Amino acid sequence: MATNNNKDIIYLPLEGVESEHCALIVEKGLAHVEGIETHKVELNNQRAAITVTNEEVLANAVTAIKDLGYGVTTVKKVFPVLGMTCASCAGSAESIVSFEPGVVNASVNFASGNLTVEYLPNMTNATKLQKAVQGAGYDLLIEDETKQQETLEAIHEKKFNQLKTKTIWSVILSLPVVVIGMFFMNMPYANPIMWAFSSPVLLWFGKDFFINAWKQAKHRSANMDTLVALSTGIAYIFSVFNMLFPKFWESRGLEAHVYFEAASVIIAFILLGKLLEEKAKGNTSSAIKKLMGLQPKTVVVIQPDGTEKQTAIEEVNVGDTILVKPGEKIAVDGMVTTGSSYVDESMLSGEPVPVLKEENEKVFAGTINQKGSFQFKAVKVGKETMLAQIIKMVQDAQGSKAPVQKLVDKIAGIFVPVVMSIAVITFIIWFILGGDNGVVQGLLAAITVLVIACPCALGLATPTAIMVGVGKGAEKGILIKDAESLESAKKVNAIILDKTGTITEGKPEVTGISWLQNNDTAKNILLSIEKKSEHPLAEAVVKFLGDTATTPLTNFDSITGKGAKANYNEETFFVGNKKLLAENNISIADELLKQANEWSKQAKTVIWFANSKEALSVLAISDKIKKTSVQAIKELQAMDIELYMLTGDNEATAKSIAKETGIQHYKAEVLPQHKADFVKELQQQGKTVAMVGDGINDSTALATADVSIAMGKGSDIAMDVAKMTIISSDLSKIPQAIKLSKQTVATIKQNLFWAFIYNLIGIPIAAGILYPFNGFLLNPMIAGAAMAMSSVSVVSNSLRLKWKK
């Protein structure tokens, strides 16, 4: 009954929540559970995310959801408890298990020595419970983990197979009812035979519709189950009455028709629709399944004595040395210690070219080793790995709602009551105006209205498209944090690009150095200042001056956007741009100035080293433009998007890079705090602005932009703030992300159009609007098939996104 701590999010895996309308009902139900602080139903992920104030609340939340007619996927198990000597031991073991994260309820029976536990399989398992009990001096007798572990995947597979069985049997039993009802109505005992075949379909295979409808009714609520239960229940009861008391109608000069075939076929069709829908929805979440399948179950850990030990992935700890053989998947994030190999990182970055990994290079969980063999030290395990973070980010994005969904939610909230009202009005109109057959025709028309109305098609229109869109992005190495950014990316008409690490490689190298007077002390001071600085350019200088000795400094101070200064032997030394020198009245010799101007013309970044009076040295630093940047910029400009490059570099370097890449608008010598101001400036001009950056200095601008895109090889802060992350840091993924946004929004609009049109046309026809003109009345069976196919068509249309380029 617990959480890790009061503010941890608990994910409750949901069953039977098939549309936004169902999700809204669960949301309302959770709102009434005392002790739930926050709650959100994620339809695509089939889960509710809650935070609770205490341990007792989880059980209450599960009960509340089940009371509403929906399910929570839990596992119930009985385990023998070993090592108990008295009744208080039972109490102790029970409270330990009860406080484990993900446990719904637990009780230990001292007399039988057994623990009965119900838990959420996505949060805990038998092994974790066993470890908790062992920590208190007892033990749990569990089977071999591989035999007994019930994953959510396995549970969902089991449910799908049960649905398949129900559907097959419903179809088999409904076929003879349809044949008799349509062709052999006058054969002896036709009605009792149809009744015998249709009863199991309704009362056994379709019983969930009635059970859930009753649970809804108790809470004064209604959903799709209500519509199905009402329509088939009325048809069935009406038919049984007509079979048992035919004289009631015959005495009034009317025929006593039965509609067993309509009732059973509606159930069969709706179960078939659900089956096809589940199958299709399974395909929409294939991106998550692929990502989850990337992590191996076991690894080879090198023991302190040098021996190799096969270890379960859950037991790998930070600091363990892991051996990776050719063709194996890398299990956790780490740093190569010995050996080298090429690693295929395409599943994370979308980049097909394998990357060379040598000593001190990072490797990531889920990537595949090629031909070489190497050992690496585990740095991040479990939930901390990049793969785990990506899976979480994709799941969260798929579970989020697009702004367009708000309107659909409102409609879904009133849809079922409105349909029920239309059905009642339909019956009343037929009863008054329908003549001799008014009651029968009215009843059939009302049943058809209830059957054809489909809240599911409306509810699935947006979430399935978002799910496929986010998944497709993940497969291409574009991580999208929420549905809102996926929807708003299509509106972007201005993109601001940071230069270093975004347009360029972000691996600056010193390509030249010129000294006014070359001496070892000056070199030592320069290296010592740069070693203390965190700027990427400082790293390049440190690498260049590698063999030089360092010198103790005092009063080191980093000056944002300009450089750094420090004291040596009571004199101040400066490293940074020309602005820093000008502010401190430092003179520059002509020969250094001439050299600096020449380097600037070649698009090189120039940095200065000076004492308190004069410049001692000038360095040229070059950062190559990425191979894909020029093509990506052309593509974006072809999409009528204005591009702006911002850089802290000097005017000459910025101008040269802009010319080389084809960017028309640029700003040089921009300080980090001014980047966000420039974003606001463009927004005030009515532009929808995307900011693309990779550093800590871009985080404010990223947070200010309408759409924020971080480069995956940049800083963690930039990735945290940004709504999209390009894992490979390849600029050509941005036009792809914008195209994906346009395709997803177009799919949402198509889905909503068809769902609305289907209901707008279908409901009046079902009510009998065409009858006065051409005598057409829609058969309830056909309505059932149409209703089943409407949801399937919406999900199938979303799946088309997968194959679009």
Side-chain angles (χ1 to χ4, degrees):
M1 301 180 210
T3 67
N4 287 330
N5 66 48
N6 290 350
K7 299 297 171 235
D8 274 3
I9 295 176
I10 301 169
Y11 292 107
L12 304 174
L14 299 175
E15 294 168 10
V17 178
E18 280 148 9
S19 70
E20 281 298 338
H21 183 226
C22 300
L24 285 171
I25 292 168
V26 174
E27 287 249 19
K28 283 178 189 166
L30 289 172
H32 293 126
V33 178
E34 214 170 305
I36 292 183
E37 291 190 325
T38 63
H39 55 86
K40 183 176 91 161
V41 175
E42 298 176 0
L43 176 63
N44 281 331
N45 295 329
Q46 290 284 295
R47 68 186 188 184
I50 63 170
T51 56
V52 299
T53 52
N54 62 64
E55 308 79 51
E56 307 297 322
V57 179
L58 183 54
N60 299 342
V62 171
T63 307
I65 294 168
K66 287 182 175 174
D67 277 351
L68 288 165
Y70 301 103
V72 177
T73 308
T74 58
V75 174
K76 288 180 183 173
K77 290 269 181 183
V78 177
F79 300 110
V81 185
L82 311 177
M84 290 194 299
T85 55
C86 63
S88 69
C89 292
S92 171
E94 184 177 305
S95 67
I96 283 155
V97 175
S98 296
F99 278 85
E100 268 299 287
V103 171
V104 178
N105 46 54
S107 66
V108 175
N109 184 322
F110 179 60
S112 65
N114 284 342
L115 158 72
T116 306
V117 62
E118 182 182 5
Y119 59 86
L120 301 170
N122 57 319
M123 287 189 72
T124 191
N125 56 39
T127 309
K128 286 182 183 173
L129 298 178
Q130 184 188 40
K131 280 182 183 171
V133 171
Q134 284 170 344
Y138 311 109
D139 201 355
L140 278 191
L141 190 62
I142 63 171
E143 306 162 46
D144 177 28
E145 182 71 4
T146 51
K147 286 183 196 167
Q148 64 82 41
Q149 189 176 25
E150 284 194 69
T151 60
L152 268 180
E153 192 80 14
I155 292 165
H156 286 156
E157 187 66 28
K158 194 174 161 189
K159 298 263 180 215
F160 181 78
N161 290 333
Q162 284 172 350
L163 179 60
K164 200 172 174 180
T165 308
K166 279 183 188 176
T167 307
I168 291 166
W169 276 106
S170 298
V171 171
I172 290 169
L173 292 172
S174 296
L175 276 172
V177 185
V178 174
V179 172
I180 295 169
M182 296 185 89
F183 306 109
F184 303 104
M185 268 306 290
N186 299 321
M187 68 179 264
Y189 304 110
N191 287 357
I193 291 168
M194 287 194 289
W195 176 58
F197 276 105
S198 63
S199 292
V201 176
L202 259 84
L203 307 177
W204 184 249
F205 301 119
K207 67 177 180 186
D208 288 346
F209 293 117
F210 296 95
I211 293 167
N212 294 340
W214 172 244
K215 287 178 177 176
Q216 291 290 318
K218 281 196 297 185
H219 290 271
R220 294 183 182 171
S221 185
N223 66 359
M224 189 192 137
D225 292 329
T226 313
L227 299 182
V228 176
L230 273 176
S231 55
T232 55
I234 291 167
Y236 181 78
I237 291 163
F238 184 63
S239 301
V240 171
F241 177 84
N242 289 0
M243 180 182 75
L244 297 175
F245 307 106
K247 291 202 164 44
F248 178 83
W249 298 105
E250 286 162 4
S251 64
R252 289 165 172 78
L254 298 169
E255 265 189 82
H257 273 298
V258 293
Y259 298 96
F260 289 121
E261 79 280 7
S264 63
V265 169
I266 287 166
I267 294 280
F269 271 138
I270 287 166
L271 285 173
L272 180 64
K274 272 179 177 275
L275 186 74
L276 294 172
E277 198 183 297
E278 284 302 315
K279 188 95 177 139
K281 280 197 324 206
N283 289 335
T284 63
S285 61
S286 62
I288 283 281
K289 285 178 189 161
K290 276 183 197 167
L291 287 168
M292 285 177 164
L294 291 175
Q295 199 172 39
K297 300 284 178 280
T298 58
V299 294
V300 176
V301 174
I302 306 293
Q303 302 298 298
D305 60 2
T307 57
E308 296 177 7
K309 185 190 174 190
Q310 196 87 10
T311 307
I313 185 75
E314 294 83 8
E315 290 170 27
V316 174
N317 297 312
V318 172
D320 283 354
T321 301
I322 296 165
L323 173 67
V324 184
K325 293 171 185 170
E328 285 186 345
K329 285 177 183 167
I330 292 163
V332 296
D333 292 4
M335 192 78 79
V336 178
T337 51
T338 55
S340 67
S341 177
Y342 280 90
V343 173
D344 177 2
E345 294 186 341
S346 61
M347 57 290 302
L348 295 186
S349 65
E351 293 299 306
V353 184
V355 183
L356 177 63
K357 299 290 180 181
E358 296 177 303
E359 265 184 58
N360 297 326
E361 294 264 357
K362 288 179 184 174
V363 288
F364 301 102
T367 55
I368 301 168
N369 182 27
Q370 302 278 287
K371 293 175 183 171
S373 178
F374 62 88
Q375 292 180 12
F376 74 94
K377 191 166 119 186
V379 175
K380 289 180 178 176
V381 300
K383 290 179 185 172
E384 300 301 312
T385 66
M386 187 174 173
L387 178 65
Q389 298 287 349
I390 288 172
I391 291 170
K392 186 178 184 309
M393 208 186 272
V394 173
Q395 273 185 325
D396 288 348
Q398 289 184 337
S400 65
K401 287 186 182 182
V404 71
Q405 187 67 37
K406 287 171 189 162
L407 168 71
V408 181
D409 284 356
K410 281 181 186 170
I411 295 164
I414 58 164
F415 187 88
V416 177
V418 166
V419 169
M420 287 165 71
S421 306
I422 292 170
V424 171
I425 293 163
T426 300
F427 176 75
I428 292 166
I429 292 170
W430 272 99
F431 181 73
I432 296 165
L433 305 175
D436 291 346
N437 286 330
V439 174
V440 178
Q441 301 282 40
L443 209 52
L444 278 179
I447 287 166
T448 311
V449 166
L450 291 171
V451 170
I452 205 163
C454 187
C456 291
L458 268 179
L460 290 167
T462 307
T464 51
I466 292 292
M467 199 166 186
V468 177
V470 169
K472 188 178 177 183
E475 283 171 14
K476 291 188 173 293
I478 304 162
L479 278 190
I480 298 157
K481 251 192 197 171
D482 60 24
E484 191 171 345
S485 55
L486 182 61
E487 192 181 321
S488 40
K490 75 175 275 288
K491 301 173 196 160
V492 167
N493 51 18
I495 296 180
I496 299 171
L497 301 167
D498 172 52
K499 180 182 79 75
T500 309
T502 302
I503 295 172
T504 63
E505 295 277 4
K507 294 175 187 166
E509 291 173 358
V510 175
T511 55
I513 185 165
S514 182
W515 290 91
L516 187 62
Q517 47 188 28
N518 195 349
N519 63 59
D520 287 343
T521 309
K523 271 187 187 174
N524 295 351
I525 296 165
L526 172 60
L527 178 68
S528 305
I529 294 174
E530 293 291 51
K531 270 201 167 171
K532 285 180 178 287
S533 173
E534 290 177 350
H535 199 281
L537 298 183
E539 237 175 89
V541 177
V542 170
K543 203 172 174 186
F544 181 75
L545 298 172
D547 298 333
T548 314
T550 54
T551 302
L553 303 172
T554 54
N555 300 335
F556 174 84
D557 184 17
S558 179
I559 304 155
T560 308
K562 290 170 191 169
K565 64 177 182 177
N567 288 358
Y568 172 73
N569 280 354
E570 295 181 9
E571 186 177 2
T572 306
F573 288 84
F574 299 87
V575 180
N577 57 22
K578 203 172 175 185
K579 202 181 272 185
L580 181 67
L581 271 60
E583 281 177 9
N584 291 281
N585 301 316
I586 294 165
S587 64
I588 300 172
D590 288 343
E591 60 190 272
L592 290 184
L593 197 57
K594 191 181 171 188
Q595 180 65 74
N597 291 337
E598 208 172 297
W599 280 335
S600 290
K601 282 175 193 166
Q602 295 167 16
K604 292 180 178 178
T605 302
V606 172
I607 62 168
W608 299 86
F609 171 54
N611 58 24
S612 51
K613 296 185 191 76
E614 62 177 348
L616 303 176
S617 167
V618 63
L619 295 92
I621 295 179
S622 179
D623 187 7
K624 283 185 209 156
I625 293 171
K626 289 178 194 167
K627 288 175 187 170
T628 52
S629 290
V630 178
Q631 182 56 34
I633 285 161
K634 272 185 194 163
E635 280 181 46
L636 289 166
Q637 286 169 336
M639 293 164 89
D640 285 334
I641 294 170
E642 283 183 17
L643 294 181
Y644 299 83
M645 180 183 79
L646 301 187
T647 176
D649 248 332
N650 61 59
E651 176 69 25
T653 304
K655 188 178 180 179
S656 178
I657 296 276
K659 191 179 176 185
E660 211 174 318
T661 54
I663 292 175
Q664 285 152 4
H665 312 282
Y666 68 89
K667 277 194 164 201
E669 296 179 17
V670 179
L671 296 176
Q673 61 268 33
H674 295 151
K675 287 183 180 179
D677 296 338
F678 186 65
V679 172
K680 285 177 193 163
E681 201 179 302
L682 290 179
Q683 286 169 331
Q684 279 159 7
Q685 292 170 25
K687 291 185 167 72
T688 303
V689 182
M691 171 72 200
V692 187
D694 73 325
I696 293 168
N697 60 351
D698 299 318
S699 53
T700 317
L702 285 166
T704 312
D706 299 297
V707 176
S708 44
I709 305 170
M711 291 296 173
K713 289 179 181 169
S715 77
D716 288 347
I717 294 174
M719 285 169 71
D720 283 347
V721 171
K723 293 292 174 73
M724 286 190 190
T725 300
I726 308 295
I727 298 173
S728 64
S729 292
D730 179 354
L731 215 52
S732 65
K733 298 283 179 189
I734 293 171
Q736 287 180 27
I738 292 169
K739 276 178 198 162
L740 181 63
S741 167
K742 286 179 177 174
Q743 289 169 350
T744 307
V745 172
T747 304
I748 290 170
K749 285 178 178 170
Q750 289 161 10
N751 286 351
L752 287 172
F753 172 79
W754 287 114
F756 275 113
I757 286 293
Y758 165 82
N759 283 302
L760 282 172
I761 295 173
I763 292 172
I765 290 174
I769 201 165
L770 297 177
Y771 187 76
F773 308 105
N774 58 11
F776 178 79
L777 273 177
L778 189 64
N779 187 312
M781 289 191 291
I782 307 297
M787 181 267 174
M789 291 318 295
S790 66
S791 296
V792 177
S793 64
V794 162
V795 178
S796 304
N797 189 46
S798 293
L799 281 171
R800 282 176 56 241
L801 251 179
K802 271 186 167 187
W803 298 289
K804 284 186 180 175
K805 286 189 178 177

